[in-house]
Amino acid sequence: MRSCENFRFIEQHRPWRDLTFKFYSDGALTIIDNQAGEVITPRKLKGESHDFYVRKRIAFIKNDLMNKRLKYA
């Protein structure tokens, strides 16, 4: 079963985007610009929203590795 973690992020500086990040258990990602109602790619992220994405992605990878290590140890 594919689970999903949702995170909402509102930028504090221009362009003040309101974004929803959906991180799926299989490693997939969807980023939604809530104001425009469209899906964007990580390449379109800048500044603090890019930092948020990178921190969450690194945390996902660390958790995934730890879970695999525990499962196969």
Side-chain angles (χ1 to χ4, degrees), residues 24-27 55-65:
Y24 296 92
S25 58
D26 63 0
R55 282 184 275 122
K56 291 296 182 185
R57 178 60 85 184
I58 290 170
F60 170 80
I61 292 168
K62 283 181 178 179
N63 287 335
D64 187 51
L65 288 172

Side-chain angles (χ1 to χ4, degrees), residues 14-29:
R14 286 185 177 248
W16 296 300
R17 290 189 294 186
D18 178 3
L19 304 170
T20 298
F21 292 80
K22 294 184 175 193
F23 291 92
Y24 296 92
S25 58
D26 63 0
L29 168 71

